[in-house]
Amino acid sequence: MLAEEFARLPHISSPREHAAVVMEIAAGVKREDIVLEPHEKLDSDAASRLELVLEQARRGKPLAYALGEWYFAGRRFFVSESVLIPRPDTETLCSVALQFCRSRPGALRILEVGVGCGAISITLERELSGRQVSLVATDISQEALAVATANAARHGAQLELHEGSLLEPLPPDSRFDLIFSNPPYVAEKDEVDESVRRYEPARAYRVPAGQPGTYFHRCLAKNAGAYINPSGMLALEVGYNQADEVKELLGGSGFEGVSITPDLAGVQRVVSAIWAG
Ligand SMILES: C[S@@+](CC[C@H](N)C(=O)[O-])C[C@H]1O[C@@H](n2cnc3c(N)ncnc32)[C@H](O)[C@@H]1O
């Protein structure tokens, strides 16, 4: 069985869950059918697609890259080796952003810095359907922006994309009700899992050489306020040991009501604060 084979591969964290995802994406077999009709034979196309994915997984390739797609918050998104694979931890950033948007009446202007494959922004846009929302995003990687464009089209989401560093590509008079980011936060000296090191783009998770892991949080704490409407929010994903430092950074940069939200594993994952204006 697929799940048993995946259990032997160290880079696959949730063998049963991921076996179901692979069956669905590579072989077109829905989860409920795996349970109800476990002995159904796959047609030969589905079986060879499945074999191809398995072969790559055995060589250590993350399933998301082998499939070219992955789930985030219940929706499927294209991924390529130019983008970080969206992580379940990041659903916390998405729900902090969504909660803020739901509490703020009227039209919303939202900015994501470092959009990657677009999973968070597109999820927000879809979840806020019926609201007047204008979503803008930046990324330094042209290849990532191409993946985000494909995902926006796939989900019928309106996303205005700009190539460039952090806030630099934005016109200086741009203002947003919410700015959020899951920026790179691994310092040069810090180790990452082998499969991350071999396959995921370093520019998507590492800060520039010689900088601390909170380098991008510092840049955004210092500069994002100028782009936020009064009482708007800045929400940042952080590494497992960075929340207190980022909380202080925001508190010392003109933000109020700084709060820390844990992810589902209980790790302090998102630091958010309101721009005093
Ligand atoms: C950790 S990934 C997050 C991707 C996606 N938002 C997610 O949460 O799954 C960080 C993203 O920031 C982008 N990035 C790196 N340096 C950047 C910079 N200076 N300005 C804008 N984006 C940058 C990377 O290309 C990458 O797509």
Side-chain angles (χ1 to χ4, degrees):
M1 256 184 66
L2 205 52
E4 281 160 16
E5 166 123 26
F6 283 177
R8 287 192 288 274
L9 301 175
H11 67 98
I12 298 183
S13 55
S14 315
R16 280 172 69 84
E17 169 69 18
H18 290 172
V21 172
V22 168
M23 286 299 282
E24 182 166 354
I25 298 179
V29 179
K30 293 220 161 66
R31 267 160 213 249
E32 52 272 28
D33 295 338
I34 300 174
V35 178
L36 297 175
E37 298 168 57
H39 304 298
E40 270 303 279
K41 273 226 162 289
L42 293 179
D43 68 42
S44 64
D45 279 356
S48 38
R49 279 196 303 274
L50 197 61
E51 191 46 45
L52 210 63
V53 171
L54 252 175
E55 242 176 64
Q56 297 178 72
R58 285 186 196 115
R59 280 187 265 120
K61 194 174 210 174
L63 291 171
Y65 292 145
L67 292 163
E69 292 183 51
W70 202 237
Y71 272 97
F72 178 79
R75 289 182 173 82
R76 261 160 76 171
F77 293 93
F78 299 120
V79 294
S80 75
E81 288 179 43
S82 321
V83 296
L84 200 86
I85 300 163
R87 307 290 206 268
D89 299 343
T90 300
E91 290 180 14
T92 307
L93 178 61
C94 197
S95 61
V96 167
L98 195 55
Q99 227 178 331
F100 174 76
C101 293
R102 288 188 171 139
S103 72
R104 195 165 168 102
L108 289 165
R109 271 181 64 72
I110 304 173
L111 171 71
E112 178 174 9
V113 174
V115 69
C117 75
I120 317 177
S121 280
I122 293 166
T123 302
L124 267 186
E125 207 255 20
R126 295 289 80 195
E127 292 297 318
L128 292 168
S129 71
R131 291 282 302 272
Q132 204 185 323
V133 176
S134 126
L135 246 159
V136 179
T138 68
D139 204 292
I140 200 142
S141 155
Q142 195 177 33
E143 296 83 3
L145 291 172
V147 178
T149 302
N151 279 318
R154 176 177 192 169
H155 291 284
Q158 299 295 320
L159 199 52
E160 182 188 316
L161 296 167
H162 295 269
E163 183 185 342
S165 184
L166 301 179
L167 306 158
E168 279 172 23
L170 303 170
D173 58 349
S174 312
R175 293 291 177 277
F176 300 93
D177 301 293
L178 166 69
I179 297 182
F180 69 92
S181 183
N182 170 20
Y185 49 67
V186 181
E188 194 184 15
K189 63 176 174 35
D190 293 333
E191 303 261 320
V192 292
D193 290 345
E194 196 203 337
S195 117
V196 173
R197 186 175 50 72
R198 272 178 67 196
Y199 290 98
E200 304 210 42
R203 193 163 59 165
Y205 63 85
R206 280 216 188 276
V207 298
Q211 296 293 345
T214 51
Y215 169 74
F216 286 114
H217 304 85
R218 261 164 221 279
C219 297
L220 290 169
K222 185 164 165 233
N223 301 313
Y227 293 85
I228 303 181
N229 285 325
S231 74
M233 175 182 269
L234 175 65
L236 302 174
E237 180 167 317
V238 296
Y240 76 98
N241 56 359
Q242 296 172 340
D244 290 335
E245 187 186 336
V246 173
K247 183 178 179 183
E248 274 199 19
L249 277 174
L250 293 188
S253 309
F255 289 88
E256 294 175 339
V258 188
S259 77
I260 296 177
T261 310
D263 62 21
L264 288 176
V267 176
Q268 297 189 323
R269 187 57 69 195
V270 174
V271 184
S272 56
I274 300 300
W275 178 240

